[in-house]
Amino acid sequence: MIAYSWEHDGLRERPTLWEALKLSTERHRVIALTGGGGKTSVMFRLADELADMGKTVIVTTTTHIFNPPDRNVVETDCAEDAAKRLERNGSVLVAGVPAAGGKLKSLPLAEAARLKELADILLYEADGAKRLPIKVPKDGEPVILEGTDVVIGCMGLDCIGGELEEFCFRTEQAAELLGLQKGPDGHYSHRITCGDAAKILTSESGTRKLVGERDYRVVMNKADQEELLAKAARIAGDMERLHPVPCAVSCFLRGDHLQQKRKAAKMEQEKILRFHMKLRLYYEERNFGPGVAGLMQLVRERGSLSAACQEMHMAYSKAWKIIHKAEEDLGFPLMEGKRGGENGGTTVLTEEGEAFLNKYLQFVNEAENAVAGLFEKYYS
């Protein structure tokens, strides 16, 4: 795992996730993990890092976790059994009560609370998300133990751009938090944006629920592409404006990504032949291309042309000008303004605009891949 911390002006790679989260072994002895995707991976990563620091760690749950086959596990409903096992064997112990489906469930909460007295650090999952990347809790969730020092909210970045009903656990609660209404078909036709994620991660009705006066941290997982790292940075910046909180980003780079990083580093040191292409669609005037498409993507995420302009460092008048020129050539509207609402109105893509943008992005992606293959054939 590679860990990054958000440092106001960007992401910085850190040696450990513990350091990226700005945690302290003195102040943060009881740690709860809540939210969506990656809680278990984060929990065991922190446990192993703490073991490397010479700390004893107990890992457990106040809901359910999978029983890990490659870990030192004590299946019990009694804290004392955990104490004896930890004394005899290893620095990281998993404790829980056997449950159906190869899972462990919570010890009685009084016993679970006792675990903090038996090791240097207690880590526990306080939430379940049915393996979905983002969650908004219902009543009774999460289950936070008395004496918890810090809550770490987790999210998988693969939810960004995905349909709310497919990628978010507790859709009804999420829709209420985000102010969404069902369509005529009885479904929420909404794709999760970076702004949505920031709101869920910082809201007291979202991942920050029941944190109270405790310390709070956020981990965004699965940033395994440069595009996802950029989205993580955007979410972290949004969170900084909504509710400043120490934030970390994790990724597991596969071999191809490592190769890309080495290639990028090499390109910085020596002169290498490259190619660049821009694709425009038009009937008469070349008015729809990367600029308009980028503006539409930001409007889709932000719900605001003004916010999109600020991010692209473009004048509002210029943005409407290039949009209108593209609309005139294509013969249909790409976006429309909606009046009213808490912030005085929004800008959204029209159905035709949404469909046209999606096809354009797919077209560009396939064209770039095809040309990259030809480039390698003739110039590698």
Side-chain angles (χ1 to χ4, degrees):
M1 177 189 283
I2 295 177
Y4 299 85
S5 65
W6 171 254
E7 301 296 339
H8 305 296
D9 58 345
L11 295 171
R12 301 286 182 269
E13 189 172 334
R14 299 301 180 194
T16 65
L17 183 59
W18 184 267
E19 182 178 327
L21 285 167
K22 299 179 173 65
L23 294 169
S24 164
T25 54
E26 294 180 358
R27 291 190 297 109
H28 302 131
R29 295 191 56 247
V30 182
I31 303 171
L33 291 103
T34 66
K39 290 188 298 296
T40 303
S41 296
V42 168
M43 182 166 65
F44 282 114
R45 178 67 181 194
L46 292 174
D48 291 340
E49 290 178 357
L50 286 161
D52 290 341
M53 293 183 230
K55 303 298 181 181
T56 56
V57 184
I58 293 179
V59 173
T60 189
T61 180
T62 54
T63 55
H64 291 81
I65 57 173
F66 281 100
N67 192 336
D70 55 347
R71 294 281 177 172
N72 181 20
V73 179
V74 57
E75 297 180 349
T76 182
D77 60 1
C78 177
E80 192 60 35
D81 292 338
K84 293 174 183 177
R85 175 70 69 87
L86 190 61
E87 216 173 273
R88 292 196 312 267
N89 187 11
S91 55
V92 176
L93 176 71
V94 182
V97 178
K103 293 186 176 183
L104 297 172
K105 65 180 181 180
S106 174
L107 280 73
L109 292 184
E111 290 294 304
R114 282 191 60 209
L115 294 174
K116 68 183 179 183
E117 304 165 6
L118 308 178
D120 295 321
I121 305 291
L122 174 63
L123 288 160
Y124 69 96
E125 279 195 29
D127 219 354
K130 300 290 187 184
R131 304 179 73 84
L132 291 175
I134 193 166
K135 173 183 178 175
V136 175
K138 67 174 184 178
D139 290 345
E141 297 175 331
V143 182
I144 305 289
L145 292 174
E146 288 286 337
T148 296
D149 300 308
V150 58
V151 176
I152 300 174
C154 297
M155 183 198 80
L157 285 159
D158 51 331
C159 71
I160 303 301
E163 288 287 344
L164 183 75
E165 292 186 347
E166 181 180 353
F167 286 86
C168 182
F169 189 49
R170 309 286 189 222
T171 302
E172 294 295 335
Q173 284 76 13
E176 183 178 354
L177 173 58
L178 298 174
L180 304 176
Q181 300 292 328
K182 288 183 178 179
D185 60 355
H187 292 280
Y188 296 104
S189 181
H190 179 79
R191 293 185 180 273
I192 301 169
T193 68
C194 292
D196 294 336
K199 188 170 184 179
I200 289 170
L201 288 167
T202 56
S203 171
E204 290 184 341
S205 298
T207 316
R208 199 162 64 90
K209 185 179 176 185
L210 301 183
V211 171
E213 297 301 315
R214 301 177 181 91
D215 288 346
Y216 181 57
R217 304 288 190 268
V218 165
V219 180
M220 290 180 276
N221 296 300
K222 300 183 182 179
D224 294 335
Q225 300 172 9
E226 290 297 321
E227 178 187 357
L228 293 176
L229 274 175
K231 289 180 178 179
R234 186 181 303 170
I235 295 167
D238 285 347
M239 287 195 296
E240 194 168 36
R241 289 185 286 273
L242 292 169
H243 182 86
V245 56
C247 177
V249 179
S250 77
C251 64
F252 292 90
L253 289 181
R254 301 186 297 272
D256 56 337
H257 292 130
L258 292 173
Q259 186 176 1
Q260 288 174 13
K261 289 189 75 174
R262 287 195 294 269
K263 185 175 180 181
K266 184 179 179 182
M267 288 174 68
E268 290 181 359
Q269 297 174 0
E270 59 184 66
K271 189 175 180 180
I272 292 180
L273 185 65
R274 312 170 203 183
F275 79 91
H276 176 72
M277 58 184 285
K278 285 185 178 180
L279 294 174
R280 297 183 180 277
L281 301 177
Y282 62 97
Y283 288 103
E284 295 178 354
E285 300 293 332
R286 300 178 184 181
N287 288 325
F288 188 94
V292 176
L295 193 60
M296 290 177 69
Q297 285 178 281
L298 285 173
V299 167
R300 181 165 62 187
E301 289 186 8
R302 301 287 188 175
S304 164
L305 180 60
S306 177
C309 291
Q310 290 177 15
E311 189 147 338
M312 293 186 72
H313 304 288
M314 180 186 295
Y316 188 81
S317 58
K318 180 180 178 181
W320 268 124
K321 183 177 180 180
I322 64 174
I323 290 293
H324 286 155
K325 282 188 174 181
E327 290 174 338
E328 287 175 5
D329 185 67
L330 295 172
F332 56 83
L334 297 172
M335 59 180 70
E336 60 185 353
K338 291 184 177 291
R339 296 186 178 276
E342 183 179 345
N343 298 315
T346 59
T347 306
V348 298
L349 302 187
T350 63
E351 287 188 14
E352 289 173 300
E354 179 87 31
F356 193 81
L357 174 64
N358 289 338
K359 285 183 180 179
Y360 174 78
L361 295 175
Q362 292 170 4
F363 167 59
V364 169
N365 183 58
E366 292 182 26
E368 287 179 343
N369 288 337
V371 173
L374 292 172
F375 181 80
E376 288 291 325
K377 176 181 177 180
Y378 289 104
Y379 296 104
S380 62

